[in-house]
Amino acid sequence: MQALKALGQNFLIEESIAEEIVALAELQPSDKVWEIGPGKGILTTEIIKYNVQLRAFEIDKRLQKYLSQRYGNKVLLEFTDILKADWFSYLQKDGSSLKLIANIPYQITSPLLSLLEKYSSFFSRLVLMVQKEVAERLSAKPGNKHYAPLTIRLGLVYDIFSKLQVSREMFYPVPKVNSTVILMLPRANKPLISNPELFNKLLKIAFAHRRKTLANNLLPVLGAEKTAKLAELSQLNFKKRGEELAEEDFILLSDCWAAL
Ligand code: SAM
């Protein structure tokens, strides 16, 4: 079977790494687990050793026969695009303390992370292999060039840790980039935001032009009067750039905007 680049098919070939990845999920026999993109099953084989209930989503129907023969009676196989799957109905079946393990196809990273953000309350532990640069973005602090809206949005709901560096040589075909395995745990004290939609809009605006100040990014959207009011109400330094603001600054700013 030819690996398809468009489906991010770079298969892990080193079993000891699969063992390390699955160990990070701290699986218990009663656990319900999701895997995204089982591929040829290197992680799947390791996961089912723990006698968990596994549901695996694979988009590539060429793998249907192979995966069904190998795991049909041990794994709930769903041959569907995870981005188009009815997450809510699967989540209702599988409960609210789900674990997720995946060597994710890199081209779906952003929409997948957005779904994991949206449905964070259903997950208790997530172990994801992502592109090294994505791991850097997710753990970046204010002022760092990797700090981005995604860092802040996911950071509101998960504590994220880089756990394992994996060289690109550990995959076949060999991809262009190296990978990092990250562990995502639901955040204990999630901050309250009065208007999450406005919060996300604010992030987009503040990072629209990274080199511009907060004032210069806000002005074209809010106009001079509202921007000045917001600066006064929040008492934040609007000469700073969006990438220099911490999570609490963005929360304060969006709460003040909601109050305007
Ligand atoms: N888990 C295997 C491993 O570690 O070797 C395969 C990982 S490979 C990087 C990504 C897998 O995700 C492929 O099997 C690919 O067909 C599958 N995939 C790609 N896009 C997908 C999607 N939207 N929904 C479900 N699976 C997808």
Side-chain angles (χ1 to χ4, degrees), residues 7-12 35 37-39 42 58-59 81-82 103 105:
L7 296 181
Q9 289 182 335
N10 301 100
F11 300 106
L12 183 64
E35 184 187 0
I42 191 165
E58 174 56 62
I59 196 173
D81 179 346
I82 189 63
N103 171 9

Side-chain angles (χ1 to χ4, degrees), residues 142 147 152 242 244-251:
Y147 188 61
I152 300 162
E244 295 175 288
L245 299 188
E247 173 192 278
E248 59 269 24
D249 297 326
F250 281 110
I251 295 175

Side-chain angles (χ1 to χ4, degrees), residues 20-28 31 99-101 125 127 183:
E20 283 188 73
I21 292 173
V22 175
L24 285 168
E26 297 185 353
L27 298 178
Q28 306 295 326
D31 281 341
K99 292 184 174 175
L100 187 142
I101 302 173
R125 201 173 179 93
V127 180
L183 173 66

Side-chain angles (χ1 to χ4, degrees), residues 6-13 35-44 57-60 63 80-83 103-108 129 171:
L7 296 181
Q9 289 182 335
N10 301 100
F11 300 106
L12 183 64
I13 49 175
E35 184 187 0
I36 296 167
K40 294 180 179 171
I42 191 165
L43 293 174
T44 319
F57 299 88
E58 174 56 62
I59 196 173
D60 189 350
L63 289 161
T80 180
D81 179 346
I82 189 63
L83 300 180
N103 171 9
I104 66 171
Y106 294 154
Q107 78 284 4
I108 67 164
M129 175 121 70
F171 302 87

Side-chain angles (χ1 to χ4, degrees), residues 142-155:
N144 184 298
K145 68 175 171 139
H146 297 294
Y147 188 61
L150 186 65
T151 321
I152 300 162
R153 283 188 5 237
L154 270 183

